[in-house]
Amino acid sequence: MAGTDGTQSPIAGGPVIILVGPQLGENIGMVARAMLNNGLTELRLVKPRDGWPNPAAEASAAGAIEVLEKARVFETTAEAIADLNHIFATTARTRDMTKRVAVPRRAAQEMRALDQAGQKIGILFGPEKAGLHNDDVVLSDTVISVPLNPAFSSLNLAQAVLLVAYEWFQQGTEVPDQELVLGGSELAPKAELVNFYERLESALIENGFLWPPEKRPNMIRNLRNIFQRAMLTQQEVNTLHGVVKSLRHGPRKQGGDDSGKSKDT
Amino acid sequence: MAGTDGTQSPIAGGPVIILVGPQLGENIGMVARAMLNNGLTELRLVKPRDGWPNPAAEASAAGAIEVLEKARVFETTAEAIADLNHIFATTARTRDMTKRVAVPRRAAQEMRALDQAGQKIGILFGPEKAGLHNDDVVLSDTVISVPLNPAFSSLNLAQAVLLVAYEWFQQGTEVPDQELVLGGSELAPKAELVNFYERLESALIENGFLWPPEKRPNMIRNLRNIFQRAMLTQQEVNTLHGVVKSLRHGPRKQGGDDSGKSKDT
């Protein structure tokens, strides 16, 4: 899915993403993309296995390369989080420790509140195979655990970052939950709709479809409800008028008009 | 992140995922994994570019291979959706059409309601590069558009499926939003907490820390609030008793007891 608008200025702020011991450069690049899709730009790496910079990471980051260019590298997790106020640790494994565990949605709500309060947030993700070590989890304030199918729970590193970053972004976006995208017209005013209904119904009464008379009010309501649910635009009402007319009167005569008057050939 | 519990029976039902013209086998395999992570198992393919079956898809599906084994292949989108009642089309591009557009969260709420009402749901995803053709979008009831960073919006096919499937799964999961995972102990009863506080405070009064007396009530409350926020377990209270004792009395004498009585060496 690609909808990048190059004229938009980048979003700033938000949680710092911290990868502890990431292994594949390709995964780090994919993490950069997952971050940037959701407006996150600050990445920190703790002892990346293959060192830094990493050409494989740059190749897979592609358009998100700015995230890698600004990434900072640390020797230890403690150093990577030293300046941050609140740490979330993302892990699937249950631990033998007493910790607060939140789902990503709830964690994101808390992140937003912390961010509003000027607190600096970091989110830890562990090495691809092993996940975070207990000593890294202990430094976190909250564990994020993603509820998944118990019979199959297997996200790769970039997908885990994507879901957490997505939850963060959704809480801040002003995109409406749902909307009717009008594609170039306005919703038809009710007078136009009623006019269309009445013309349609007259035709159907004339043609014997709305019969018998005692069933007519109900049939008319059912018919109107069909079109009401469509939420017709003015242009669509015009189109439907033309459809009804065409059905009633057949093809337009060559060079003729719509009035139905015949012509001498 | 891997937390698969092989003893769990698979989740059944839920929306059908329909890939229209998918190109890379590897992506189809990744889609299968994204689906199964979120309890979805029904996949349909419309004219996959490289035919079917596809060994590249099987390789990247790995543990989610059951989804590919049950996948059905169709010549046209219309055939793939023929038996379904309600179709969502996932696309990033705005279209010149009048359509209802929903964010994934809202779409998932509707999916749950439709599913409860016994309606069969399908979710369309287009080819990797081009996205869905207008003729496929027109057959949908609702368009799903994922709100992303306007300056960088680029999800791959499996990520788009992951986000939509994740929203579906989150609405049905009974995992609590957040919980305190106790790691093997119970929360300490209040009597135990008060006992600890009083012993700590007595020691600090004796040692002159809680001074002057008029500041004492406030200092005591502040101190108690620290430990209150930790939500101590019984085991932790016991540990803290030991910590306080150790700080007060120094190292235990060789072969000695905790009573503080000295021994002839």
Side-chain angles (χ1 to χ4, degrees):
Chain A
M1 297 180 67
T4 297
D5 174 359
T7 66
Q8 294 275 348
S9 45
I11 296 166
V16 177
I17 300 296
I18 304 160
L19 305 184
V20 180
Q23 295 167 312
L24 292 178
E26 182 187 341
N27 289 341
I28 301 175
M30 295 291 293
V31 163
R33 296 180 69 83
M35 287 172 59
L36 199 55
N37 266 304
N38 292 288
L40 299 179
T41 56
E42 203 179 334
L43 176 65
R44 298 181 186 180
L45 308 172
V46 180
K47 290 183 81 78
R49 182 193 73 180
D50 298 341
W52 196 258
N54 182 321
E58 287 159 14
S60 84
I65 190 99
E66 67 184 84
V67 175
L68 298 189
E69 285 161 355
K70 303 181 348 179
R72 296 170 58 193
V73 182
F74 298 84
E75 276 299 301
T76 66
T77 305
E79 286 166 62
I81 65 175
D83 62 322
L84 305 172
N85 304 119
H86 198 103
I87 301 295
F88 293 82
T90 310
T91 178
R93 292 173 173 66
T94 53
R95 310 259 170 178
D96 238 355
M97 297 192 294
T98 303
K99 269 299 197 222
R100 238 182 101 254
V101 180
V103 301
R105 186 150 310 171
R106 178 61 176 256
Q109 288 166 358
E110 296 175 9
M111 289 178 206
R112 285 287 176 182
L114 288 160
D115 188 66
Q116 294 274 24
Q119 301 301 294
K120 293 166 71 175
I121 304 155
I123 313 174
L124 299 177
F125 295 84
E128 287 91 314
K129 285 200 174 57
L132 288 169
H133 192 280
N134 267 359
D135 291 344
D136 290 327
V137 176
V138 95
L139 295 175
S140 69
D141 299 279
T142 306
V143 167
I144 299 177
S145 187
V146 187
L148 294 168
N149 180 1
F152 185 88
S153 305
S154 179
L155 297 179
N156 65 38
L157 176 59
Q159 287 173 332
V161 174
L162 179 67
L163 289 178
V164 174
Y166 164 81
E167 285 287 6
W168 159 265
F169 188 78
Q170 294 310 300
Q171 309 251 353
T173 180
E174 285 169 14
V175 172
D177 278 5
Q178 61 118 359
E179 54 180 330
L180 181 65
V181 168
L182 289 176
S185 181
E186 300 295 316
L187 290 172
K190 293 302 180 189
E192 291 284 337
L193 289 168
V194 171
N195 178 52
F196 167 69
Y197 297 151
E198 289 178 342
R199 291 184 70 178
L200 173 62
E201 289 147 15
S202 303
L204 293 174
I205 290 168
E206 231 179 89
N207 290 8
F209 178 76
L210 290 172
W211 186 266
E214 57 272 21
K215 290 195 168 181
R216 198 170 286 164
N218 223 37
M219 294 178 78
I220 282 175
R221 275 190 293 270
N222 288 345
L223 207 54
R224 291 189 179 198
N225 271 330
I226 292 172
F227 295 103
Q228 281 298 114
R229 288 204 315 278
M231 283 184 278
L232 300 168
T233 63
Q234 181 60 69
Q235 187 165 346
E236 288 169 339
V237 171
N238 297 345
T239 299
L240 288 174
H241 275 297
V243 166
V244 170
K245 185 178 292 180
S246 173
L247 291 172
R248 296 193 76 192
H249 300 300
R252 291 176 65 169
K253 298 185 192 335
Q254 282 295 330
D257 60 27
D258 279 345
S259 66
K261 284 197 245 161
S262 59
K263 279 179 145 22
D264 300 330
T265 46
Chain B
M1 295 179 66
T4 297
D5 175 358
T7 65
Q8 294 277 345
S9 45
I11 297 164
V16 176
I17 300 297
I18 305 160
L19 305 184
V20 181
Q23 295 167 313
L24 292 179
E26 180 186 343
N27 289 344
I28 301 175
M30 295 293 290
V31 164
R33 296 180 69 81
M35 287 172 62
L36 199 55
N37 266 304
N38 292 288
L40 298 179
T41 56
E42 204 178 334
L43 176 65
R44 298 181 187 181
L45 308 171
V46 180
K47 290 183 82 76
R49 182 194 71 181
D50 298 341
W52 197 256
N54 182 321
E58 286 160 16
S60 84
I65 191 99
E66 66 184 84
V67 175
L68 298 189
E69 286 162 355
K70 301 181 349 178
R72 296 171 58 193
V73 183
F74 298 84
E75 276 299 300
T76 66
T77 305
E79 285 165 64
I81 65 176
D83 62 321
L84 305 173
N85 304 119
H86 197 102
I87 300 295
F88 294 83
T90 311
T91 178
R93 290 171 174 68
T94 54
R95 309 256 171 181
D96 238 355
M97 297 191 295
T98 302
K99 268 301 198 220
R100 236 179 103 256
V101 179
V103 301
R105 184 151 312 170
R106 178 60 176 258
Q109 287 165 358
E110 296 176 9
M111 289 179 206
R112 285 288 174 181
L114 288 160
D115 188 66
Q116 294 273 24
Q119 301 300 294
K120 294 166 72 174
I121 304 155
I123 313 173
L124 299 177
F125 296 84
E128 288 91 312
K129 285 201 173 55
L132 288 170
H133 192 279
N134 268 358
D135 290 346
D136 290 327
V137 176
V138 94
L139 294 175
S140 70
D141 299 278
T142 305
V143 166
I144 299 177
S145 185
V146 186
L148 295 168
N149 180 0
F152 184 88
S153 305
S154 179
L155 296 179
N156 65 39
L157 176 58
Q159 289 174 330
V161 173
L162 178 68
L163 289 178
V164 173
Y166 164 82
E167 286 286 7
W168 158 264
F169 187 78
Q170 295 309 301
Q171 308 250 357
T173 180
E174 285 170 14
V175 173
D177 278 4
Q178 61 116 0
E179 53 179 330
L180 181 66
V181 169
L182 289 176
S185 180
E186 300 296 315
L187 291 173
K190 292 306 179 188
E192 292 283 337
L193 289 167
V194 171
N195 177 52
F196 167 69
Y197 297 151
E198 289 176 342
R199 291 183 71 177
L200 173 64
E201 288 147 15
S202 301
L204 294 174
I205 289 168
E206 228 178 274
N207 290 8
F209 177 76
L210 290 173
W211 187 267
E214 59 269 23
K215 290 196 171 179
R216 199 171 285 164
N218 224 37
M219 293 178 80
I220 281 175
R221 275 190 294 269
N222 288 344
L223 207 55
R224 291 190 179 196
N225 271 329
I226 291 171
F227 294 103
Q228 281 298 113
R229 288 203 317 278
M231 282 184 279
L232 300 168
T233 63
Q234 182 61 69
Q235 187 165 346
E236 289 169 338
V237 170
N238 296 345
T239 298
L240 288 173
H241 276 296
V243 167
V244 170
K245 185 177 291 181
S246 172
L247 291 172
R248 295 193 76 191
H249 301 299
R252 292 175 66 168
K253 302 188 190 330
Q254 282 297 327
D257 60 27
D258 278 344
S259 66
K261 285 197 248 170
S262 60
K263 278 175 149 20
D264 302 328
T265 46

